[in-house]
Amino acid sequence: MTSAAASSLLGKPLPCLDAAEDIRFDAPWEAKVFSIIVKLSQQGCFTWAEWVDCFSKEVAAADAVEAAGGQPKTYYEQWLAAAETLLVAKGMTSPEQLLAKRFAIGSVGPAHLIAS
Amino acid sequence: MSVLQDAKVPVTILTGFLGAGKTTLLNRILHERHGERIAVIENEFGEIGIDNELLVHDGSEQIVEMNNGCICCTVRGDLVRILGQLRERRARDPEAFSRVIIETTGLADPAPVAQTFFIDEDIAAAYRLDAVVTVVDARHAAQQLDESHEAQEQVGFADRILLSKLDLVDTAEQRRLRERLARMNPRAPVREVHFGAAPIGELLDIGGFSLDAILEIEPGFLGEDAHEHDDSVQSFVFRSGAPFDADRLQAFLRETIASHARDLMRYKGVVAFAGVDHRIVFQGVHMVMSADAGRPWAEGELRESKLVFIGRGLPQREFREALERSLLQESPAAPVQ
């Protein structure tokens, strides 16, 4: 995924789903993290500008990795990383909670994780 | 999340040995809670009563395997259907009921009943499984535990054990029974009931599957005459003051749960990870698990991890060695048999 695609999305105001725009998800979790962010923003948990600011930093970091010849995060991996950063910053989750969820998923797999 | 959780209808699974007094107890609850509308799902899940009023006659037992191919993810199809009907009823009339009690027969395996609340997404969205409460007939418990596979399962699965008919056994026998129950399931407090009378607080809103609940290990677990019975359901407790390496503990659980999923009935851990200032808490039923961050460790507090595993024929020595290897530093765990 190129950063050009990212910036085209960044410029859009909410709901950022443009019929003309080709949004493609390669896995269900990508659609999930995308819709969670849109929904939380619509609910007023953060402004779209705050999201754009947070996401831009991830995009820039990925670009830097790519420029250095490394393997950057995919587009939705960047989206997920930014989502975690923003939700922690907003006090909606914590690094410990994220650790606990990862721990459980790593132990039993995502299909067996009970929401709590 | 907590707001969403509060909107869910709490569910208690009431199980117990045949003739232990479940129905007496249930009638008592319905009587004492006459202001509260309680939906009761009984026996073969064919009958639904609300405030003791029988509404539906239907159906036989259905065990359903979910299509993800996992043998542990069995749910009760009949229960899903009935809970679904109840949910629709409540959607039309929010006053219809505010709590569900499922009374299973003395022969039902609690696992598929409990797993229904975790595996089926629609059910999980509407209901919160509070606890499995098991009534044990003190007079006949020793024999029933010796002879009945189901009796063993019910004790192993319990979040709380209620001892009935204690007045029919002497103190020595009471003590032996309590110790035996504690060895099988050290995380379920044992309480007495007389003629169905029990403080409701001992039965409802226990939070047996809640990650916030404190993990208490019954003192009776340390009882001495430990080798009198060869119970198929046993427990294993591990404690350590040394922090775990998160990756190693995760690898241990992944391997253990995969290879012992059928036999691992309940497990819970409150653990300290190196470099993490909060307790990390997890609990599971066979192969389904939840986890969350718990309270932060206090300044200067001993960060003691506690894990308990309850199941059939668990290889305790292997578990202990693997858990020791998952600790960040070599430090002997407090010996607990």
Side-chain angles (χ1 to χ4, degrees):
Chain A
M1 181 60 65
T2 64
S3 54
S7 23
S8 82
L9 192 61
L10 285 173
K12 306 262 183 213
L14 259 186
C16 80
L17 281 173
D18 184 331
E21 188 166 21
D22 179 25
I23 294 187
R24 206 190 72 183
F25 301 111
D26 288 329
W29 72 265
E30 296 183 348
K32 208 166 179 177
V33 69
F34 176 85
S35 49
I36 285 171
I37 286 301
V38 171
K39 190 77 190 164
L40 288 177
S41 165
Q42 285 170 344
Q43 286 178 353
C45 296
F46 45 80
T47 66
W48 196 247
E50 285 175 315
W51 165 251
V52 168
D53 183 49
C54 190
F55 185 53
S56 313
K57 287 177 183 145
E58 276 297 330
V59 174
D63 286 348
V65 168
E66 194 167 23
Q71 181 72 39
K73 287 178 183 152
T74 67
Y75 180 72
Y76 282 105
E77 283 169 359
Q78 296 165 33
W79 193 282
L80 175 62
E84 290 186 356
T85 304
L86 186 57
L87 296 192
V88 168
K90 288 290 174 181
M92 297 173 69
T93 185
S94 67
E96 294 81 20
Q97 276 186 318
L98 293 172
L99 170 77
K101 305 298 176 198
R102 283 197 197 96
F103 176 74
I105 290 171
S107 300
V108 292
H112 292 108
L113 179 71
I114 305 170
S116 58
Chain B
M1 277 298 184
S2 61
V3 176
L4 286 174
Q5 298 243 326
D6 291 342
K8 295 182 184 181
V9 175
V11 179
T12 301
I13 298 173
L14 183 60
T15 183
F17 302 0
L18 289 165
K22 294 189 298 295
T23 306
T24 313
L25 186 64
L26 185 56
N27 286 336
R28 180 81 187 214
I29 296 168
L30 294 176
H31 177 73
E32 284 191 18
R33 290 256 172 155
H34 55 79
E36 185 175 12
R37 305 271 287 167
I38 300 176
V40 179
I41 303 177
E42 287 188 307
N43 295 323
E44 302 304 319
F45 303 152
E47 304 166 350
I48 300 177
I50 292 182
D51 281 358
N52 253 356
E53 174 197 359
L54 217 55
L55 295 175
V56 179
H57 289 271
D58 178 29
S60 56
E61 186 169 302
Q62 277 182 295
I63 304 277
V64 176
E65 277 181 31
M66 303 302 277
N67 56 10
N68 63 8
C70 168
I71 194 76
C72 294
C73 294
T74 52
V75 301
R76 293 286 299 252
D78 44 2
L79 185 57
V80 169
R81 192 186 68 244
I82 290 173
L83 287 167
Q85 289 166 358
L86 279 174
R87 188 180 58 159
E88 284 170 23
R89 193 188 153 95
R90 194 164 184 265
R92 291 193 301 271
D93 174 15
E95 306 290 309
F97 62 95
S98 58
R99 180 183 297 280
V100 175
I101 298 178
I102 299 172
E103 183 195 354
T104 70
T105 66
L107 297 176
D109 179 0
V113 181
Q115 288 182 168
T116 300
F117 292 91
F118 304 130
I119 305 281
D120 188 287
E121 285 188 15
D122 291 336
I123 298 303
Y127 298 94
R128 173 178 60 77
L129 179 57
D130 179 60
V132 177
V133 175
T134 299
V135 189
V136 173
D137 173 349
R139 178 74 182 81
H140 298 104
Q143 189 188 352
Q144 284 170 325
L145 286 170
D146 287 344
E147 294 174 355
S148 163
H149 168 75
E150 288 79 11
Q152 296 248 341
E153 304 269 314
Q154 288 168 2
V155 169
F157 238 90
D159 294 291
R160 182 141 308 175
I161 294 170
L162 299 178
L163 272 180
S164 66
K165 306 183 186 177
L166 265 178
D167 48 333
L168 301 179
V169 296
D170 62 34
T171 35
E173 198 175 337
Q174 277 191 35
R175 189 178 53 84
R176 279 197 297 276
L177 177 58
R178 284 175 182 274
E179 286 175 0
R180 185 175 182 183
L181 294 172
R183 279 193 304 277
M184 293 173 74
N185 183 342
R187 59 172 284 278
V190 177
R191 302 281 188 265
E192 299 173 20
V193 279
H194 294 288
F195 299 107
I200 300 295
E202 301 287 357
L203 282 165
L204 306 174
D205 304 319
I206 290 171
F209 292 87
S210 161
L211 293 166
D212 298 333
I214 292 166
L215 177 55
E216 297 277 14
I217 306 296
E218 280 288 292
F221 188 69
L222 296 164
E224 281 304 308
D225 48 355
H227 303 291
E228 193 179 335
H229 303 282
D230 187 20
D231 289 318
S232 62
V233 170
Q234 295 179 336
S235 60
F236 166 71
V237 174
F238 183 87
R239 297 171 202 258
S240 177
F244 276 103
D245 177 289
D247 290 340
R248 281 188 234 163
L249 182 60
Q250 181 178 285
F252 164 77
L253 287 173
R254 190 166 56 231
E255 197 174 301
T256 301
I257 292 166
S259 53
H260 298 281
R262 277 178 211 241
D263 294 325
L264 200 49
M265 294 160 56
R266 298 284 299 263
Y267 48 97
K268 181 161 185 174
V270 178
V271 298
F273 285 144
V276 179
D277 287 332
H278 288 248
R279 291 164 174 80
I280 299 296
V281 188
F282 64 88
Q283 70 91 17
V285 174
H286 292 306
M287 215 160 185
V288 291
M289 184 198 270
S290 56
D292 206 350
R295 286 183 298 122
W297 299 101
E299 186 80 28
E301 179 180 11
L302 171 67
R303 299 186 175 192
E304 188 192 41
S305 297
K306 281 193 278 190
L307 298 88
V308 56
F309 299 87
I310 299 170
R312 291 177 290 261
L314 303 177
Q316 304 209 0
R317 194 197 297 169
E318 267 177 49
F319 274 27
R320 187 172 304 283
E321 288 169 2
L323 285 165
E324 293 282 359
R325 285 196 300 273
S326 306
L327 297 172
L328 199 65
Q329 304 141 16
E330 293 305 314
S331 160
V336 177
Q337 172 48 45

